[in-house]
Amino acid sequence: MSKSSFNNENNSSPSGAEGLYAEIIIPAALPKNYTWSVPAHLIDSVKPGCRVEVNLGKSKKYAGIVKKLLKEKPEFIETKDILNVLDVEPVVYEEQLKLWEWMASYYMCSEGEVMAAALPAHFKLSSETILVYNEEYGDDFSALDHDEFLVAEALLLKKELKLTEVQQILDSSHTYPVISRLVSKKVCHVWESLKQTYVPKKETYILLNSEYHNEDRLSDLLNNWTKAPKQMELLLSYLHLMKTEGEVIRQNLLKKSGASDAQLKGLIEKNILKAEKRQVDRIQYLPKDVKIDFELSAAQQKAFDEILQQLKSKAVCLLHGITSSGKTQIYIKLIEQYIRQGKQVLYMLPEIALTSQIIRRLQKHFGGYIGIYHSKFSQNERVEIWNKVKTGELKVVLGARSSVFLPFNDLGLIICDEEHDTSFKQQDPAPRYNGRDAAIYFSSLFAAKVILGSATPSIESYYNGTTGKYGLVELPERYGDVHLPGIEIIDTRKVVSKDMLRQAQHDKIILSPALIEAINEVVSRNKQVILFQNRRGYTPYQVCATCGWIPQCKYCDVSLTFHKLTNKLVCHYCGSTYPPVHTCAACGNHKFVQRNFGTEKIEEQLQEIFPDAKVARMDIDTVRGKNAHDVLIQQFEQRKIDILVGTQMVVKGLDFDNVDLVGILDADGLLHFADFRVNERAFQLMEQVSGRAGRKPSSVKTSEGKEATGKVMIQTANPSHPILQIVQQHDYKKMFTEELEKRKQFFYPPFSRLIHLSFKHKMKDIVERAAHEFANALKNRYSNYIVGPAEPVIGRIRNQFLMELLLKLPKDAKMINQCKKDLLEEIAILHQHKSYRSVTIVADVDVV
């Protein structure tokens, strides 16, 4: 179905109509959208969803998106004219604009902020400075200095100069002082134009001149060739490539033939070959094909049929399938159905790391129908994917949370895998949206269906499933009837060995003897090991052995983490780096004790204990490049790595056949957070980590004669913690029941809705006063629902002191919407107070 125009009464562009106005979204944090007037010559070309060039203020230019057309002039304002229309067809559809409006309203931000997050950067045109010569000044430049004279002379000749051209003339990037002086002397004035930054990729194709398409003429040419043997070789290479590949790119031809540019130029000048520039895709796609070469197991088929049944009456269905139950195969079968109906499918994952493994599985079944979209792609690549989704060329998109903004035109299904994962929630900047929840709203605009999938669903989603708001389907057994791995709890308080002496500088055991023995046994069988520690770096903090002083960040109230590879202390909150500290700033002592351990330290110790094993680390420090995730995952899949140690990214939904042992090195670090979700999160993380082990049947038999199914070892100083007992039993429903009771008792989600407010300022007393005044202003209406204000655990980040306020609101849509309006109004009132004008207030709806 074509969506070149929107279907509502305001969307027609009445040719010749008088007084047409446009509400336009610009990528800025404005409280409401501005309205511009549509000049007569642009009336036929302005459409909702198209980009237009507009002025805001005296000279600032923006590329905005037309939200809707209006026939009535807005009251109390003088509208400016739209300057230009940048698109023939809309870049976004009606559904995207509705999503932006909903997101701005729900998450308490502006539509401009949503637009800035939604559009690839190259759609948000940049303002480019142009100097325009002032004809009234004349040509007497005697009063100008040397640099001013050079620019003025060029302006006299060209009349206009871009900023980049001025930089070339002066051979310097520091041109603003010169420009400022020329403007003040009235030699020129400054004009802002919008610069289109997307550049299509072009390749030079080499073609045979049409004269030689005749075989006799070509044979005559080759048989009577006398000079330039190198050109002859080049021509023969071209003919060979044409036969094998169908098309010949200049670069490939020169590489294959070993010829030079000059030799190719010679053949072109002789009119034997010709060169032609063509626009090409930056991302190569496979041929389009649907090929499903597997059958679902009985349990999978039952779950598949139940999902289809549930989707007849429910818009959303939660698939609760234990780890390695084969949820992805069910998704593939569902995708096949929707592709055959001509519909589009969005497959969302919380982490970019997961896309590389899943994309290979999906490409095997759907070929060129599928594309990927996430932040690691270049801006040019993102524009190309955007356009392919918009035209319907891509039927399936695999992406992280930002993929919900893509301009689907016929969306049938959204799959949100690992739906419990907090990575679906955007933290900074606005919009602070949850990709899963935004996807559910977005699907409603198309009457599309949503599948939420997880082995450890969020309590809110499972509650919605059990109360009938969502459909709920259970998949309680692993694919191939493989058993869940056994879990062994290691009490680190009882570990006393020679290793304790070697690890004396640490307050925690890194690798217990039992774990070392298990790693040795597994590696000796050519099986693989995953070790999990949710801290990167070498040492999370170090303490002076004499007085207890801890090196801290200058700008944040946090300790510094030592990174041995770079030999620097790093703040993981603001990114500041410092040289290593060898002398205590408080007492001058030189002896420090290293506390706790990060992935870098674990990697080093593994290399010492297992010198013959291939050890690798997976954390944000080792996978920064565009393809770094994929390379590391493929190396592990190909068994080039024996032991993989990492943070959360090693445990989220990755599927490795050969892993027989998983170790959680510090469970206590997951259980001791001051957060009402701490038990839920710890269970989810440990159960997901456990799920990486024993995903395929093993040839090794247990003492009872059964197939070994992998092993999980959890190190803790608190083995009696209730969550560890539940993890040992793989009992999600028990965790859910117990946590739900506590949530009800203390009025937390799913029984309430949360709005979290952060107050930030460089002066502690100002931020404290602002937070308390704000809370007092709300107490008349919301005194029963306010928690705080209070200083958070980390009271200063990036030199900004923090205060927090939490609202726990009943699940009453009318009340919640009114509360959001009241909060925005109180923020505006507070900012009118001179003392609090510079206090930053950040609202986070449904905080995680």
Side-chain angles (χ1 to χ4, degrees), residues 567-584:
N567 195 34
K568 285 178 181 171
L569 291 169
V570 180
C571 173
H572 286 175
Y573 282 79
C574 70
S576 299
T577 59
Y578 305 83
V581 174
H582 303 293
T583 305
C584 175

Side-chain angles (χ1 to χ4, degrees), residues 316-319 331 416 419 436 440 450-454 461 470:
V316 182
C317 181
L318 173 63
L319 173 59
Y331 300 153
C416 187
E419 67 82 29
R436 174 199 63 200
I440 290 172
V450 179
I451 305 293
L452 306 179
S454 178
S461 293
Y470 298 165

Side-chain angles (χ1 to χ4, degrees), residues 295-306 325 329-330 474-481:
E295 293 295 325
L296 297 177
S297 68
Q300 286 175 317
Q301 188 63 50
K302 180 173 180 287
F304 179 81
D305 294 339
E306 285 178 10
S325 57
Q329 289 179 312
I330 293 174
E474 304 275 358
L475 185 54
E477 63 182 60
R478 281 185 147 192
Y479 185 74
D481 204 25

Side-chain angles (χ1 to χ4, degrees), residues 676-690:
F676 75 92
R677 288 191 175 98
V678 62
N679 286 346
E680 177 191 6
R681 296 270 164 75
F683 175 86
Q684 286 168 339
L685 207 45
M686 286 190 271
E687 185 64 20
Q688 290 284 346
V689 175
S690 304

Side-chain angles (χ1 to χ4, degrees), residues 527-544:
K527 292 287 183 177
Q528 291 168 296
V529 178
I530 290 177
L531 298 178
F532 168 72
Q533 166 66 345
N534 212 22
R535 287 178 183 269
R536 62 190 176 96
Y538 189 82
T539 309
Y541 64 101
Q542 55 191 42
V543 183
C544 172

Side-chain angles (χ1 to χ4, degrees), residues 365-593:
H365 299 296
F366 304 114
Y369 281 117
I370 186 162
I372 318 178
Y373 188 82
H374 55 61
S375 57
K376 287 286 178 83
F377 280 119
S378 73
Q379 293 299 336
N380 281 322
E381 288 170 332
R382 292 172 84 174
V383 169
E384 289 179 8
I385 297 163
W386 180 282
N387 288 331
K388 284 182 184 296
V389 173
K390 183 168 162 282
T391 59
E393 189 178 334
L394 282 178
K395 291 297 182 191
V396 185
V397 176
L398 180 69
R401 63 174 178 259
S402 60
S403 58
V404 77
F405 292 119
L406 286 167
F408 292 92
N409 66 6
D410 198 6
L411 188 64
L413 177 70
I414 298 177
I415 295 165
C416 187
D417 199 15
E418 309 296 340
E419 67 82 29
H420 66 278
D421 200 299
T422 55
S423 297
F424 276 122
K425 184 78 160 76
Q426 162 86 0
Q427 301 301 329
D428 277 308
R432 294 169 183 84
Y433 68 101
N434 189 309
R436 174 199 63 200
D437 299 342
I440 290 172
Y441 173 78
F442 190 44
S443 70
S444 70
L445 302 176
F446 294 88
K449 302 297 183 181
V450 179
I451 305 293
L452 306 179
S454 178
T456 54
S458 66
I459 283 176
E460 291 88 339
S461 293
Y462 201 74
Y463 178 77
N464 286 337
T466 56
T467 55
K469 183 177 180 180
Y470 298 165
L472 176 62
V473 174
E474 304 275 358
L475 185 54
E477 63 182 60
R478 281 185 147 192
Y479 185 74
D481 204 25
V482 177
H483 295 290
L484 284 164
I487 295 178
E488 180 182 335
I489 308 287
I490 299 170
D491 186 349
T492 52
R493 295 171 304 176
K494 296 179 181 178
V495 175
V496 180
S497 70
K498 62 183 179 183
D499 292 310
M500 285 292 287
L501 298 174
R502 194 158 62 84
Q503 297 173 146
Q505 283 189 304
H506 295 268
D507 63 340
K508 289 189 177 183
I509 283 287
I510 298 177
L511 298 169
S512 62
L515 183 56
I516 291 171
E517 186 182 331
I519 293 171
N520 205 29
E521 189 274 329
V522 168
V523 172
S524 69
R525 292 193 280 111
N526 293 321
K527 292 287 183 177
Q528 291 168 296
V529 178
I530 290 177
L531 298 178
F532 168 72
Q533 166 66 345
N534 212 22
R535 287 178 183 269
R536 62 190 176 96
Y538 189 82
T539 309
Y541 64 101
Q542 55 191 42
V543 183
C544 172
T546 304
C547 72
W549 177 78
I550 299 171
Q552 286 205 320
C553 177
K554 291 178 188 175
Y555 312 107
C556 310
D557 289 343
V558 291
S559 58
L560 296 170
T561 300
F562 178 56
H563 286 248
K564 192 172 183 180
L565 185 67
T566 56
N567 195 34
K568 285 178 181 171
L569 291 169
V570 180
C571 173
H572 286 175
Y573 282 79
C574 70
S576 299
T577 59
Y578 305 83
V581 174
H582 303 293
T583 305
C584 175
C587 70
N589 183 44
H590 299 300
K591 189 175 180 185
F592 284 89
V593 177

